[in-house]
Amino acid sequence: MATTQSQDDVVAGPPVDVVIMAAGKGTRMKSRLPKVLHRLGGRPLLAHVLDTAKALQARQAIVITGHGAIEVEADHACSALAAAPLTLNFVRQEPQLGTGHAVQQALPLLADDGVVVVLSGDVPLTQAATLFHLIKACAGERLALLTLQMPDPTGYGRIVREGGAANGQVQAIVEHKDATPNERGITEIYSGIMAVPALALKRWLGRLDNQNTQGEYYLTDIVKFAVADGVPVVAHRIEDAVQVAGVNSPVQLAELERAFQTTQARRLMDEGVRLADPARIDVRGDLLCAHDVSIDVNCVFEGKVNLGLGVSIGANCVIANAVIGPGAVIHPFTHIDGESVGVTVGAGARVGPYARLRPGAVLGIDVHVGNFVEIKNATLADGAKANHLAYLGDANVGERVNFGAGSITANYDGANKHRTVIEADVHVGSNCVLVAPVTLGAGGTIGGGSTITKDTPARALSVARGKQISIPNWERPKKILKV
Ligand code: UD1
Ligand code: CA
């Protein structure tokens, strides 16, 4: 495989240090949230870039922060880095005087023996394989630029080549605002991503000035210095614009979200998942599917979700942090969220439509949970049923229990939560209130409308409600007519 090949080469080559520029303001997002913390596929943009750094087996990633630095630095914990073998360093750039000035801030942390890969925190979809190629082109001694042809290159730095020829030696990068009309005609642009030997980078950054239209220190000016020093500059040109697309506005964020989701939908289908419409699924986390899973339109998956063999998910379900057993059917409009605790649905279970499973819901084999039933921190053993309009919270529900429509566990006394235990084969009628802590003995029956405050014996009929009376010939009050 191409990727593995280049990976081996990199492992054999000099160590890689990744520098991620993330100090910019992101004005066009019109948001209080720092740009790199906006989410793509449910995770901050920066987390995607850090994943790429991880895939490169980088020795370290240095994130240059500025605007919203405190928030960005605090948030890194949530990017699941704790378990990752990547050293993460943050460096502040204050004020922000340009991309060259940004990378200058990282220099004290960069050893001379490495290759530095420069990335941006707002460019989330670069593939590691592409960067392996770039690192290979750098080969520890050249300046390697990732470039791209753009029909409309407005705003980008242009790749100026010797004699203007498509394959002429790269001479310089000229920023759009500094470009002559002739240079603006160039359609090959600099993506913002480069691989450069650390030692040379240090030398060149020391020579930067800000004598340009924007009064900024341009990282891109190092190309001129490389040329002057006789260091070869190589361009690795790619076709896939998505890989270098940055997020500057909500529109661009939404576009990249779609691109990201399309890739995930394809991967799922390649694994055999049947998607009713690959354009109408959102995976914001890790969705793992066995064979013969089918997913109807408009479903959202978050966190870690595991779908077993032959699982069927109806339209408009939101499922987060859950394990769904083989053959289970989740009917439309069901909301499942295990949060940090998880939800488990047993083999062959049927859930929904319009059901809600909350953290700690554990359903056994062939359990049925119907419409407008909410389950939280409760275990339903094999074959138990709660088919309509019910709440089961903090409960152990035995095998084959039938929990009637409108019945609830009153698990909260205003201060503490208490458990309800319903033993096997209990039949709870409609509209019952089970005031916890309480235990219903095996095989018992609870009459409809009962408020149960004491334990009930096994196999008994327990009824706790006002006795029915009838008053004969009852005259209903009459409406008083006003004149
Ligand atoms: C830069 C390149 C341009 C390239 C384009 C690709 C320069 C001078 N120009 O342009 O050739 O075509 O990217 O998108 O490098 N940042 C900082 N500190 C700063 C300035 C920027 O951290 O002082 C960060 C930004 O947050 C962003 C990244 O650097 O993540 C790129 O900055 P941006 O202003 O988008 O670069 P451009 O000027 O568009
Ligand atoms: Ca800029």
Side-chain angles (χ1 to χ4, degrees):
M1 305 282 277
T3 312
T4 321
Q5 178 76 52
S6 15
Q7 222 154 348
D8 291 344
D9 291 346
V10 167
V11 171
V16 171
D17 296 305
V18 172
V19 172
I20 302 170
M21 298 186 290
K25 189 153 186 201
T27 314
R28 281 192 280 153
M29 291 304 289
K30 299 183 180 164
S31 169
R32 279 173 48 237
L33 191 68
K35 182 162 73 173
V36 296
L37 296 187
H38 279 269
R39 283 166 189 271
L40 181 115
R43 303 171 64 228
L45 293 172
L46 181 59
H48 291 269
V49 184
L50 289 170
D51 274 357
T52 311
K54 248 180 266 175
L56 293 180
Q57 298 168 33
R59 175 166 60 179
Q60 65 169 332
I62 304 170
V63 181
I64 316 290
T65 58
H67 282 282
I70 293 169
E71 270 176 274
V72 174
E73 290 161 18
D75 192 81
H76 83 275
C78 84
S79 57
L81 267 167
L86 176 72
T87 305
L88 182 60
N89 290 304
F90 288 95
V91 173
R92 296 268 176 98
Q93 183 202 16
E94 275 156 350
Q96 290 83 40
L97 303 178
T99 51
H101 179 252
V103 178
Q104 275 171 355
Q105 313 310 308
L107 291 186
L109 291 177
L110 290 170
D112 290 348
D113 64 341
V115 161
V116 178
V117 174
V118 178
L119 304 174
S120 289
D122 56 359
V123 179
L125 298 183
T126 318
Q127 285 168 22
T130 302
L131 297 179
F132 279 125
H133 279 291
L134 192 70
I135 293 165
K136 205 175 162 193
C138 163
E141 53 185 30
R142 296 188 284 260
L143 172 56
L145 308 172
L146 190 64
T147 74
L148 185 87
Q149 290 286 349
M150 279 215 166
D152 177 11
T154 309
Y156 291 96
R158 307 298 206 280
I159 303 294
V160 179
R161 289 177 180 267
E162 200 164 37
N167 285 314
Q169 275 297 310
V170 176
Q171 295 296 301
I173 297 174
V174 179
E175 292 304 306
H176 180 87
K177 286 185 177 146
D178 301 290
T180 64
N182 231 359
E183 287 165 341
R184 287 192 182 178
I186 298 171
T187 53
E188 186 183 7
I189 61 104
Y190 169 55
S191 66
I193 294 173
M194 63 168 67
V196 49
L199 201 56
L201 177 68
K202 289 180 176 184
R203 208 166 59 230
W204 296 329
L205 285 180
R207 290 200 235 162
L208 288 185
D209 63 45
N210 62 354
Q211 303 304 300
N212 52 55
T213 327
Q214 305 188 76
E216 288 182 10
Y217 294 89
Y218 291 163
L219 176 62
T220 44
D221 278 350
I222 70 169
V223 176
K224 294 190 298 216
F225 303 142
V227 171
D229 287 359
V231 174
V233 181
V234 288
H236 176 58
R237 203 183 305 165
I238 59 166
E239 306 284 326
D240 182 11
V242 162
Q243 287 197 48
V244 299
V247 172
N248 295 298
S249 65
V251 168
Q252 288 172 344
L253 180 59
E255 283 168 358
L256 286 196
E257 178 73 35
R258 249 331 87 203
F260 178 73
Q261 293 301 343
T262 302
T263 307
Q264 299 201 93
R266 290 206 155 272
R267 178 182 57 76
L268 287 170
M269 292 187 294
D270 288 344
E271 287 166 5
V273 177
R274 261 106 60 192
L275 299 180
D277 182 357
R280 283 184 287 169
I281 176 170
D282 286 85
V283 181
R284 302 173 189 153
D286 302 322
L287 174 59
L288 220 89
C289 296
H291 284 176
D292 285 314
V293 165
S294 69
I295 301 173
D296 209 335
V297 298
N298 294 332
C299 291
V300 178
F301 297 90
E302 294 174 339
K304 283 196 178 357
V305 176
N306 212 320
L307 305 181
L309 185 74
V311 163
S312 159
I313 310 288
N316 300 297
C317 289
V318 176
I319 302 182
N321 302 305
V323 177
I324 313 292
V329 178
I330 312 297
H331 290 293
F333 295 98
T334 291
H335 184 209
I336 299 176
D337 190 355
E339 296 177 15
S340 56
V341 178
V343 162
T344 306
V345 174
R350 286 198 260 144
V351 180
Y354 297 101
R356 181 173 183 209
L357 304 184
R358 294 173 54 203
V362 178
L363 314 189
I365 297 167
D366 289 329
V367 163
H368 292 184
V369 172
N371 39 230
F372 306 107
V373 173
E374 173 184 351
I375 297 181
K376 185 221 71 171
N377 190 26
T379 301
L380 276 67
D382 298 352
K385 292 182 176 64
N387 273 323
H388 333 264
L389 301 159
Y391 174 61
L392 279 160
D394 303 300
N396 295 3
V397 179
E399 291 168 0
R400 298 170 301 278
V401 163
N402 195 315
F403 198 74
S407 291
I408 66 151
T409 54
N411 56 325
Y412 185 53
D413 60 14
N416 297 298
K417 302 267 171 73
H418 302 281
R419 258 193 119 71
T420 301
V421 177
I422 307 175
E423 292 178 354
D425 299 301
V426 166
H427 181 102
V428 177
S430 296
N431 220 33
C432 293
V433 178
L434 310 180
V435 182
V438 71
T439 297
L440 312 186
T445 301
I446 310 299
S450 293
T451 296
I452 300 293
T453 55
K454 291 183 296 214
D455 292 354
T456 60
R459 288 176 300 283
L461 167 66
S462 302
V463 185
R465 63 180 181 230
K467 273 216 155 58
Q468 181 168 330
I469 58 164
S470 297
I471 298 173
N473 305 319
W474 174 253
E475 288 281 340
R476 279 198 296 272
K478 296 213 165 54
K479 210 167 202 167
I480 300 162
L481 290 174
K482 286 197 180 128
V483 218

